Amino acid sequence: MMMMFGDAEDMMAEREPEWVREMIAFMTDFDGELRKSGELVFDEGLAFPKTAKVVSLDNGGQVVVSDGPFAEAKESLAGFWVIDVKDEARALELAGRVAVWSQKVEIRGIPDGPPEV
């Protein structure tokens, strides 16, 4: 899984419109390339972090729902790709291309099941 971080709403406010258009064109082309190569399993962009809800347990064991993301905006998950690539080197190559636009991309494997206990 390849995860892109940041706050799209902040990016839209801070970056020049031309930069945003170029980034969107890159993402569209990148997704198309992954589909064509057969490496894309699934991808999705996420709503702005300010629309997030955090569900947690308080000290008394009660469920508490709060507005907004837990992480700082720059650490919020902006979108993700589930990819099926031949090796880690290819995943890192793809992540490097996305990092040009988002500054931070995380790669993490998806195991076949839970760990043995």
Side-chain angles (χ1 to χ4, degrees):
M1 174 180 263
M2 185 167 56
M3 297 168 278
M4 181 174 100
F5 293 86
D7 184 335
E9 187 173 34
D10 285 352
M11 179 220 25
M12 302 271 293
E14 294 169 2
R15 298 287 189 155
E16 293 295 322
E18 183 59 27
W19 186 94
V20 174
R21 283 190 289 275
E22 288 174 9
M23 186 271 302
I24 291 169
F26 165 79
M27 293 297 174
T28 301
D29 293 346
F30 185 73
D31 289 353
E33 176 188 325
L34 292 174
R35 279 187 186 86
K36 186 176 179 181
S37 71
E39 295 173 306
L40 181 65
V41 176
F42 175 72
D43 68 334
E44 199 64 62
L46 301 176
F48 295 152
K50 74 177 185 181
T51 67
K53 300 287 185 196
V54 176
V55 180
S56 58
L57 232 49
D58 68 12
N59 290 337
Q62 296 297 310
V63 173
V64 177
V65 178
S66 57
D67 291 333
F70 181 74
E72 292 182 38
K74 67 182 179 183
E75 296 174 343
S76 292
L77 184 62
F80 64 90
W81 295 261
V82 175
I83 54 177
D84 185 7
V85 295
K86 66 180 181 174
D87 56 27
E88 184 180 82
R90 175 65 173 151
L92 294 172
E93 173 192 338
L94 294 170
R97 292 173 56 196
V98 174
V100 168
W101 299 97
S102 70
Q103 285 76 53
K104 183 178 179 183
V105 178
E106 180 178 331
I107 296 291
R108 193 180 304 182
I110 300 174
D112 292 329
E116 295 289 326
V117 180

mmCIF file of all heavy atoms in Angstrom, residues 82-103:
data_model
loop_
_atom_site.group_PDB
_atom_site.id
_atom_site.type_symbol
_atom_site.label_atom_id
_atom_site.label_comp_id
_atom_site.label_asym_id
_atom_site.label_seq_id
_atom_site.Cartn_x
_atom_site.Cartn_y
_atom_site.Cartn_z
ATOM 1 N N VAL A 82 -3.542 0.924 -3.421
ATOM 2 C CA VAL A 82 -3.170 -0.461 -3.163
ATOM 3 C C VAL A 82 -2.583 -0.937 -4.478
ATOM 4 O O VAL A 82 -3.266 -0.920 -5.512
ATOM 5 C CB VAL A 82 -4.385 -1.314 -2.729
ATOM 6 C CG1 VAL A 82 -3.977 -2.777 -2.585
ATOM 7 C CG2 VAL A 82 -4.970 -0.777 -1.426
ATOM 8 N N ILE A 83 -1.309 -1.277 -4.429
ATOM 9 C CA ILE A 83 -0.598 -1.650 -5.647
ATOM 10 C C ILE A 83 -0.074 -3.078 -5.528
ATOM 11 O O ILE A 83 0.142 -3.579 -4.424
ATOM 12 C CB ILE A 83 0.565 -0.675 -5.955
ATOM 13 C CG1 ILE A 83 1.511 -0.539 -4.756
ATOM 14 C CG2 ILE A 83 0.016 0.688 -6.354
ATOM 15 C CD1 ILE A 83 2.733 0.339 -4.983
ATOM 16 N N ASP A 84 0.092 -3.707 -6.654
ATOM 17 C CA ASP A 84 0.655 -5.054 -6.714
ATOM 18 C C ASP A 84 1.854 -4.976 -7.647
ATOM 19 O O ASP A 84 1.695 -5.000 -8.871
ATOM 20 C CB ASP A 84 -0.392 -6.041 -7.233
ATOM 21 C CG ASP A 84 0.086 -7.484 -7.204
ATOM 22 O OD1 ASP A 84 1.179 -7.746 -6.660
ATOM 23 O OD2 ASP A 84 -0.636 -8.345 -7.726
ATOM 24 N N VAL A 85 3.040 -4.816 -7.060
ATOM 25 C CA VAL A 85 4.261 -4.629 -7.832
ATOM 26 C C VAL A 85 5.217 -5.789 -7.590
ATOM 27 O O VAL A 85 5.072 -6.536 -6.623
ATOM 28 C CB VAL A 85 4.943 -3.282 -7.491
ATOM 29 C CG1 VAL A 85 4.052 -2.116 -7.913
ATOM 30 C CG2 VAL A 85 5.253 -3.167 -6.005
ATOM 31 N N LYS A 86 6.202 -5.916 -8.480
ATOM 32 C CA LYS A 86 7.098 -7.080 -8.414
ATOM 33 C C LYS A 86 8.001 -7.084 -7.193
ATOM 34 O O LYS A 86 8.383 -8.146 -6.710
ATOM 35 C CB LYS A 86 7.926 -7.189 -9.684
ATOM 36 C CG LYS A 86 8.913 -6.066 -9.897
ATOM 37 C CD LYS A 86 9.705 -6.232 -11.173
ATOM 38 C CE LYS A 86 10.685 -5.074 -11.296
ATOM 39 N NZ LYS A 86 11.574 -5.223 -12.410
ATOM 40 N N ASP A 87 8.367 -5.903 -6.678
ATOM 41 C CA ASP A 87 9.273 -5.865 -5.532
ATOM 42 C C ASP A 87 9.232 -4.501 -4.857
ATOM 43 O O ASP A 87 8.587 -3.564 -5.336
ATOM 44 C CB ASP A 87 10.701 -6.232 -5.946
ATOM 45 C CG ASP A 87 11.260 -5.361 -7.069
ATOM 46 O OD1 ASP A 87 10.831 -4.197 -7.222
ATOM 47 O OD2 ASP A 87 12.144 -5.848 -7.800
ATOM 48 N N GLU A 88 9.937 -4.427 -3.732
ATOM 49 C CA GLU A 88 9.970 -3.181 -2.970
ATOM 50 C C GLU A 88 10.605 -2.040 -3.764
ATOM 51 O O GLU A 88 10.180 -0.889 -3.642
ATOM 52 C CB GLU A 88 10.739 -3.396 -1.667
ATOM 53 C CG GLU A 88 10.732 -2.176 -0.762
ATOM 54 C CD GLU A 88 11.488 -2.383 0.522
ATOM 55 O OE1 GLU A 88 12.733 -2.253 0.503
ATOM 56 O OE2 GLU A 88 10.831 -2.669 1.535
ATOM 57 N N ALA A 89 11.587 -2.365 -4.583
ATOM 58 C CA ALA A 89 12.253 -1.324 -5.377
ATOM 59 C C ALA A 89 11.251 -0.604 -6.276
ATOM 60 O O ALA A 89 11.291 0.620 -6.397
ATOM 61 C CB ALA A 89 13.389 -1.921 -6.203
ATOM 62 N N ARG A 90 10.331 -1.350 -6.889
ATOM 63 C CA ARG A 90 9.319 -0.732 -7.747
ATOM 64 C C ARG A 90 8.376 0.128 -6.909
ATOM 65 O O ARG A 90 8.013 1.241 -7.306
ATOM 66 C CB ARG A 90 8.545 -1.799 -8.524
ATOM 67 C CG ARG A 90 7.400 -1.280 -9.353
ATOM 68 C CD ARG A 90 7.835 -0.391 -10.484
ATOM 69 N NE ARG A 90 6.682 -0.066 -11.338
ATOM 70 C CZ ARG A 90 6.564 1.044 -12.036
ATOM 71 N NH1 ARG A 90 7.551 1.925 -12.051
ATOM 72 N NH2 ARG A 90 5.495 1.265 -12.753
ATOM 73 N N ALA A 91 7.976 -0.359 -5.732
ATOM 74 C CA ALA A 91 7.095 0.421 -4.858
ATOM 75 C C ALA A 91 7.766 1.731 -4.454
ATOM 76 O O ALA A 91 7.137 2.799 -4.461
ATOM 77 C CB ALA A 91 6.709 -0.389 -3.626
ATOM 78 N N LEU A 92 9.048 1.673 -4.130
ATOM 79 C CA LEU A 92 9.773 2.881 -3.737
ATOM 80 C C LEU A 92 9.947 3.829 -4.915
ATOM 81 O O LEU A 92 9.895 5.051 -4.742
ATOM 82 C CB LEU A 92 11.117 2.504 -3.125
ATOM 83 C CG LEU A 92 11.020 1.753 -1.791
ATOM 84 C CD1 LEU A 92 12.394 1.255 -1.362
ATOM 85 C CD2 LEU A 92 10.375 2.607 -0.723
ATOM 86 N N GLU A 93 10.142 3.279 -6.101
ATOM 87 C CA GLU A 93 10.228 4.122 -7.306
ATOM 88 C C GLU A 93 8.927 4.898 -7.508
ATOM 89 O O GLU A 93 8.942 6.113 -7.742
ATOM 90 C CB GLU A 93 10.507 3.241 -8.525
ATOM 91 C CG GLU A 93 10.444 3.961 -9.848
ATOM 92 C CD GLU A 93 10.438 2.998 -11.036
ATOM 93 O OE1 GLU A 93 10.889 1.851 -10.904
ATOM 94 O OE2 GLU A 93 9.953 3.410 -12.096
ATOM 95 N N LEU A 94 7.801 4.207 -7.398
ATOM 96 C CA LEU A 94 6.500 4.862 -7.558
ATOM 97 C C LEU A 94 6.278 5.899 -6.455
ATOM 98 O O LEU A 94 5.818 7.016 -6.723
ATOM 99 C CB LEU A 94 5.382 3.820 -7.545
ATOM 100 C CG LEU A 94 5.370 2.852 -8.728
ATOM 101 C CD1 LEU A 94 4.382 1.718 -8.480
ATOM 102 C CD2 LEU A 94 5.057 3.573 -10.029
ATOM 103 N N ALA A 95 6.623 5.548 -5.220
ATOM 104 C CA ALA A 95 6.442 6.472 -4.099
ATOM 105 C C ALA A 95 7.272 7.736 -4.298
ATOM 106 O O ALA A 95 6.825 8.839 -3.968
ATOM 107 C CB ALA A 95 6.821 5.787 -2.793
ATOM 108 N N GLY A 96 8.463 7.589 -4.851
ATOM 109 C CA GLY A 96 9.305 8.751 -5.112
ATOM 110 C C GLY A 96 8.670 9.720 -6.084
ATOM 111 O O GLY A 96 8.811 10.945 -5.948
ATOM 112 N N ARG A 97 7.961 9.195 -7.060
ATOM 113 C CA ARG A 97 7.280 10.061 -8.024
ATOM 114 C C ARG A 97 6.140 10.833 -7.370
ATOM 115 O O ARG A 97 5.906 12.002 -7.685
ATOM 116 C CB ARG A 97 6.779 9.227 -9.196
ATOM 117 C CG ARG A 97 7.941 8.681 -10.032
ATOM 118 C CD ARG A 97 7.512 7.721 -11.094
ATOM 119 N NE ARG A 97 6.507 8.291 -11.986
ATOM 120 C CZ ARG A 97 5.749 7.557 -12.792
ATOM 121 N NH1 ARG A 97 5.878 6.249 -12.826
ATOM 122 N NH2 ARG A 97 4.863 8.132 -13.570
ATOM 123 N N VAL A 98 5.431 10.198 -6.448
ATOM 124 C CA VAL A 98 4.334 10.868 -5.741
ATOM 125 C C VAL A 98 4.885 11.879 -4.736
ATOM 126 O O VAL A 98 4.318 12.964 -4.559
ATOM 127 C CB VAL A 98 3.422 9.830 -5.045
ATOM 128 C CG1 VAL A 98 2.370 10.511 -4.182
ATOM 129 C CG2 VAL A 98 2.763 8.921 -6.083
ATOM 130 N N ALA A 99 6.004 11.558 -4.094
ATOM 131 C CA ALA A 99 6.583 12.438 -3.074
ATOM 132 C C ALA A 99 6.966 13.803 -3.641
ATOM 133 O O ALA A 99 6.999 14.790 -2.903
ATOM 134 C CB ALA A 99 7.793 11.775 -2.430
ATOM 135 N N VAL A 100 7.218 13.872 -4.934
ATOM 136 C CA VAL A 100 7.502 15.164 -5.573
ATOM 137 C C VAL A 100 6.346 16.126 -5.324
ATOM 138 O O VAL A 100 6.549 17.325 -5.150
ATOM 139 C CB VAL A 100 7.748 14.973 -7.090
ATOM 140 C CG1 VAL A 100 7.765 16.290 -7.820
ATOM 141 C CG2 VAL A 100 9.035 14.185 -7.317
ATOM 142 N N TRP A 101 5.138 15.600 -5.254
ATOM 143 C CA TRP A 101 3.943 16.429 -5.088
ATOM 144 C C TRP A 101 3.459 16.509 -3.654
ATOM 145 O O TRP A 101 2.852 17.493 -3.256
ATOM 146 C CB TRP A 101 2.821 15.904 -5.993
ATOM 147 C CG TRP A 101 3.222 15.974 -7.421
ATOM 148 C CD1 TRP A 101 3.742 14.952 -8.183
ATOM 149 C CD2 TRP A 101 3.200 17.114 -8.270
ATOM 150 N NE1 TRP A 101 4.028 15.406 -9.443
ATOM 151 C CE2 TRP A 101 3.707 16.731 -9.534
ATOM 152 C CE3 TRP A 101 2.797 18.438 -8.090
ATOM 153 C CZ2 TRP A 101 3.818 17.608 -10.598
ATOM 154 C CZ3 TRP A 101 2.903 19.311 -9.158
ATOM 155 C CH2 TRP A 101 3.400 18.893 -10.393
ATOM 156 N N SER A 102 3.672 15.462 -2.869
ATOM 157 C CA SER A 102 3.113 15.453 -1.511
ATOM 158 C C SER A 102 4.152 15.549 -0.400
ATOM 159 O O SER A 102 3.785 15.673 0.756
ATOM 160 C CB SER A 102 2.285 14.183 -1.293
ATOM 161 O OG SER A 102 3.139 13.051 -1.226
ATOM 162 N N GLN A 103 5.422 15.470 -0.739
ATOM 163 C CA GLN A 103 6.535 15.537 0.198
ATOM 164 C C GLN A 103 6.664 14.320 1.110
ATOM 165 O O GLN A 103 7.719 14.056 1.634
ATOM 166 C CB GLN A 103 6.517 16.801 1.080
ATOM 167 C CG GLN A 103 6.931 18.069 0.354
ATOM 168 C CD GLN A 103 5.868 18.605 -0.558
ATOM 169 O OE1 GLN A 103 4.744 18.797 -0.130
ATOM 170 N NE2 GLN A 103 6.196 18.827 -1.809
#
